[in-house]
Amino acid sequence: MKTLKVELTNCHGIRSFDATLDFGDRNAVGIYAPNGTMKTSFARTFKDFATGKETTDRVFPDRESSRLITDENGQSPDPRSVAVVLSYDEELGPTESTSTLLVNPELRKEYEELQVELLDARDALVKELKAQSGAKQDVISTISRVFTQSDDKFYDALVRIAYEVEQLEDTRFADLPHDVLFNDKVATALKGADVQAQLAAYVTRLNQLLDESTFFNRSSFTYYNAANVTKSLGVNGFFTAQHSLLLHGEDEPRQITSDADLQALITEEKKRISDDDALRKKMEGVERAVQRNEDTRKFFEFIANREDLLPEFANVQTFHQNVWMSYLKAHEEAYLRVVTCYKDTEKRRKAIEQQAATESTQWDKVIKIFNERFFVPFTLRAENKHQVALGQDSMLKLVFEFNDGQESASVERDDLLSVLSNGEKKALYILNVLFEMEARKATGRETVFIIDDLADSFDYKNKYAIIQYLKEMADHANFKLILLTHNFDFFRTLLSRGVVGYNRCFMAQKGEGKVSLNQASHVKNPFIYGFKKNFFGNGMQRIASVPFVRNILEYTRGEDDPDYLKLTSLLHWKAESASIDNAELDRIFNETFQSSKKKKWNAGTKPVIDLLLEQAEEALIADEAINFENKVVLSIATRIVAEQHMVAVLDDPTFTDGITGNQTQALFQAYKGRGHGTDESRRILDDVVLMRPENIHVNSFMYEPIIDLSDAALRELFTRVKSL
C-alpha cells in the first residue's frame, strides 16, 4: 500500500473529510490536530472499520453517515490489516491473539500432536467424573489441588494415586454429591472450634455404641458393610436358593433365612444406636453448629441421613481424597486411559516443555525493550511463557516486580495500577501496545496503524522511548503509520527524530462543515526559518518576532537591559508603550543580530503598537489555518488592549508603574478589588488572565502551547476585549 484515500461524512462528529494520505519512503504520516478537530473521531472511525462495525454520528444519529477507505488501486483494505491504537486503555492487556502469534510454531505443533490423544482421554474422563460427582467445580483443578496442593498438576495427581485406585475393592463413596460435602462454606464451618468439638464428641459416642453393638463393628462391619451385604445377597439370589446366614452375637448365634430378616436386623441395630440419648444430643449439637447458611444446611440435611459418614470428617483432606478415588474407580477404564497416554508421551513432552521454557521468543524481545527503554518503578517478566507457547495456557501472565529502594516485591497487575502515577500507567499500557505490534510483525501481513496520541501525558524519558519505537515501526517494510496528536511538541519530535518526513506532516483544520489537512508549517523553529527572514517585509511576522528577540536579549544581556525592557513594553502596557516606533524596533533587531546590512521598516516613525493593532485586525479576517504568527499577534494584542483599559480605569500611575511582575494579574486584582467595571467587563478580563503568560510571551522558545490554542477562541477573545 502506497496511499490511503479517506472519505468520511458524519462519522463520530466529523461532518466531512476527504484526503489522500501518501506514506512515502518512511511509511508514516503525521497529523497535528488540536483538541476538538478530528483526532479521536478519525481513530474511532478506523476502529469501526477494523472491527466490521458501521460508523455513525453519535451526537446527531439521524444524519446519514458514509465511510470510504481505499488504497491507490481503489480497493478497500482488509479490515484485519488495520490496527487502531488509542491514546490510553487501562484494561488493555495481552490477548489470546498476541499470545498465540508469539510462539515457536514448530514446537507448538509437535506438542499439540502429542497432546491430541491425551486431551481426548482427559476430556472423556472429566465428562464422566462431572456426571458421577455432580460437581459444578472445575474437575481438573479440584483433583489437582486435592492430591498435590496445586491447581495445575492434574496429570501428576492421577499418576500419583494410580496404585491406590487399583487396590480399591469397592466404590464406597462414588454415589456422594461432591459439592454438597466439599465446598468453601462447609469447609469453613467444619474448621470452627464448636463444630470440631461437637463432631469429635459425636464420633466418640458412636464408636462406643459400635463397640457395644451385638453385630456391628466400627473397624470391619459397619452400617455400610451390612447394607452392601444385604444388597449383594439379594442380587445374587442367596436366600432364594434356600441358603441362610449365621450371625454370631454376644449370647447365641442368630440365623438369617431371608432378605427381610437381615434388613430387619440391620434396622433394629441401627435404631438402637441412633436412638441413644447421648448420641442424639451430640448430633443436635453438630446440627446447631452448621446451621449458618444454605450450603451448610444442605450439608447437614444430607449427612443426617448418612450418619455413617460423620466419622470421615475427622480428617476432611483424607476423606476428600478417598471420595475422588471412588469416583475414579467407578470409571477406571477412562482413568487408566489418561494415565497410560500421559506416561507414553511424558519424556518427549517434558523435553519440549524444557525447550520452550528456555527458548527466546518475541515476548522476550518486547519485555527487554520495555525494561530497558521505559522508566517505571517496576520490571516485568513472563511467568507462563512456555505454557502459552505450548497451548497449555491461552493468555500470557506477566509478573511485576515493584522496586522501592533496596526492596522489591511481586505484585498483581490490579494492585500495581493502584500505586502507579498516570504517566506510569500509560507506560504500562505501551507494553501491551508493543505486544500487539510485535504480533502483527509475526503475521507478515501489511498493516496500517492508526495511532492516536500514544505518547500523550508521558514524561520526556518515556515519550522519547515510544518515539524511538515508532521509528522502528516506520522502518518495517510491512507497516504504514498514521500518527495523530494534539501535542505540537510531540508532533515536532516525530519530525526531528526521523519518524515522519517533512512533506508527510499535516495540520488538521476544522472549518465550516469540514475538516481539511494542510501541509505543516513552522514545525521547526519558526523564528529562525520564517519570522527572522521576513522581519522587515511582513507585518504579522515582524510583530510575532518580538517575543523571540526579547528572549534572546534575556539570555544574552539580562532582564535589566534597556532594550529588553523596551520589548517588554511591547508585550505589556507600560508608560512608554505608545511611544516606541518601528525605527527603534529596527535598531534593537539589527544590534541583537549584528546584521551587516542595517535594514529598515518602510514606516519607521509609526508606533509599533499601531502596527500591532493593525495586524491583529488582519488576523481576524485571515483564512482558516493553523496561523501561528496570527495567534502570537492576537495573543499580544489581546493582552495589550486589556492592560491599556485597566491602566486607564485605575488612573493610578504610582501603582501601575510600580508593578514588577505578573502585570496582567496584578492589574486585574486591583481593577476588581476597587470595584471597577461591569460584570461583563470583569468576565472578559478574567478570560484574558486565564491566557497563560508563557503562551503570549513564547517563553524560552517553547512556542508549542500557543499553537495548541484554538485560533477561533483567540479571535473571539480579542473581539470581546476591543469592546471594553
Side-chain angles (χ1 to χ4, degrees), residues 44-326:
R44 287 175 176 171
T45 300
F46 271 85
K47 188 75 170 179
D48 292 340
F49 178 84
T51 55
K53 296 180 180 178
E54 293 292 327
T55 299
T56 60
D57 191 318
R58 294 187 179 182
V59 179
F60 300 99
D62 294 335
R63 290 177 177 175
E64 184 177 352
S65 300
S66 66
R67 180 190 72 205
L68 183 62
I69 302 171
T70 56
D71 61 18
E72 64 273 13
N73 299 315
Q75 300 297 311
S76 180
D78 186 338
R80 294 174 299 174
S81 69
V82 175
V84 179
V85 180
L86 301 177
S87 63
Y88 180 52
D89 180 1
E90 187 171 297
E91 299 303 317
L92 183 67
T95 64
E96 288 196 25
S97 65
T98 60
S99 296
T100 303
L101 289 169
L102 296 173
V103 304
N104 182 324
E106 291 156 359
L107 269 187
R108 183 170 186 142
K109 182 180 179 182
E110 183 182 359
Y111 193 83
E112 287 177 345
E113 289 174 350
L114 286 174
Q115 295 283 89
V116 169
E117 186 179 357
L118 177 60
L119 292 176
D120 286 345
R122 183 200 68 182
D123 292 345
L125 174 63
V126 168
K127 183 179 179 180
E128 292 185 2
L129 291 176
K130 286 182 75 70
Q132 182 71 42
S133 65
K136 294 182 179 179
Q137 301 176 28
D138 181 68
V139 169
I140 293 175
S141 61
T142 300
I143 289 177
S144 178
R145 190 167 51 254
V146 167
F147 293 104
T148 72
Q149 310 302 311
S150 176
D151 288 342
D152 58 354
K153 303 287 185 185
F154 176 70
Y155 297 113
D156 290 341
L158 296 186
V159 171
R160 184 178 299 177
I161 60 174
Y163 178 78
E164 295 173 79
V165 174
E166 182 186 358
Q167 297 303 308
L168 284 180
E169 295 182 357
D170 57 51
T171 55
R172 174 183 177 185
F173 302 126
D175 63 332
L176 298 182
H178 178 273
D179 291 359
V180 172
L181 300 177
F182 307 102
N183 62 69
D184 291 341
K185 291 181 179 178
V186 169
T188 301
L190 293 177
K191 290 178 182 176
D194 291 343
V195 176
Q196 291 181 359
Q198 296 293 345
L199 189 60
Y202 176 88
V203 172
T204 298
R205 180 57 184 165
L206 178 62
N207 287 337
Q208 290 175 351
L209 293 171
L210 287 171
D211 290 342
E212 296 169 0
S213 171
T214 303
F215 300 108
F216 290 151
N217 183 287
R218 61 169 155 160
S219 60
S220 59
F221 196 62
T222 63
Y223 295 168
Y224 176 80
N225 300 130
N228 275 355
V229 169
T230 304
K231 181 180 179 181
S232 180
L233 293 177
V235 168
N236 291 283
F238 181 85
F239 294 113
T240 305
Q242 306 301 309
H243 298 303
S244 64
L245 293 174
L246 191 65
L247 301 181
H248 293 276
E250 294 181 352
D251 298 323
E252 59 183 26
R254 181 168 173 175
Q255 188 174 15
I256 304 297
T257 60
S258 68
D259 287 344
D261 285 348
L262 183 55
Q263 188 60 52
L265 172 66
I266 293 171
T267 302
E268 176 187 326
E269 193 69 8
K270 286 178 65 177
K271 189 174 184 303
R272 186 184 70 79
I273 293 174
S274 60
D275 283 352
D276 180 78
D277 287 341
L279 187 66
R280 193 161 50 247
K281 287 181 180 179
K282 291 174 173 46
M283 187 64 170
E284 291 171 355
V286 175
E287 181 179 9
R288 285 193 301 271
V290 299
Q291 292 295 308
R292 298 179 181 180
N293 53 63
E294 185 178 356
D295 287 331
T296 56
R297 285 192 293 273
K298 285 182 179 179
F299 166 78
F300 185 81
E301 288 171 4
F302 180 83
I303 210 72
N305 297 311
R306 291 293 306 271
E307 297 173 356
D308 59 297
L309 296 177
L310 276 171
E312 304 292 341
F313 286 95
N315 190 327
V316 176
Q317 184 177 352
T318 299
F319 181 37
H320 202 177
Q321 291 177 351
N322 289 336
V323 170
W324 275 110
M325 285 192 288
S326 286

Side-chain angles (χ1 to χ4, degrees), residues 3-6 17-23 29 70 72 506 517:
T3 65
L4 195 67
K5 184 173 178 56
V6 184
F17 180 88
D18 187 350
T20 299
L21 303 175
D22 188 340
F23 294 103
V29 170
T70 56
E72 64 273 13
F506 300 94
L517 296 184

Side-chain angles (χ1 to χ4, degrees), residues 655-723:
F655 168 72
T656 55
D657 292 347
I659 298 173
T660 58
N662 297 319
Q663 178 166 309
T664 311
Q665 178 72 31
L667 288 173
F668 181 60
Q669 291 300 321
Y671 183 92
K672 184 171 60 174
R674 299 180 188 184
H676 294 301
T678 63
D679 289 343
E680 176 62 17
S681 67
R682 286 191 291 270
R683 278 194 295 269
I684 294 172
L685 292 170
D686 191 45
D687 288 343
V688 175
V689 172
L690 288 175
M691 293 173 61
R692 295 167 60 91
E694 56 264 37
N695 289 346
I696 295 178
H697 285 203
V698 202
N699 286 346
S700 304
F701 300 100
M702 291 293 292
Y703 59 94
E704 292 81 4
I706 200 169
I707 292 185
D708 292 337
L709 286 175
S710 165
D711 188 27
L714 286 171
R715 296 186 194 207
E716 190 267 342
L717 181 58
F718 179 63
T719 301
R720 291 168 63 204
V721 168
K722 287 197 303 175
S723 68

